Amino acid sequence: EVEPRYKQDMADIKFCLSVIKPEHSEVIKRYYSDKFITWEEVVSEAGKSYSQLRTWHNDFKTLLNVITQHGVEFIRLRREALQA
């Protein structure tokens, strides 16, 4: 059972992973799934450049930060857009 204070964090992370490209999502999941893996190992496994994967990672962190800071506002805007 997950502590209630972490449930929203997990929901935010899952949402962010669901809206980015699948290839990007796999890289992010790989990095965070193993606390012993280095970023260099993820880069090597993915067969992409370091800078490209670092950009994906930074973009994910930025998106997650925006969602955690403004999530309620995004939900409201989405509902309004769907009703229009």
Side-chain angles (χ1 to χ4, degrees), residues 37-75:
I37 195 166
T38 66
W39 189 245
E40 289 74 20
E41 290 172 314
V42 172
V43 169
S44 177
E45 287 177 8
K48 305 284 184 187
S49 72
Y50 180 90
S51 63
Q52 183 178 25
L53 266 59
R54 182 52 73 188
T55 298
W56 295 357
H57 185 251
N58 290 340
D59 290 348
F60 172 77
K61 287 172 47 176
T62 299
L63 175 62
L64 185 58
N65 186 45
V66 168
I67 294 298
T68 57
Q69 298 297 317
H70 305 286
V72 173
E73 183 178 344
F74 281 118
I75 291 169

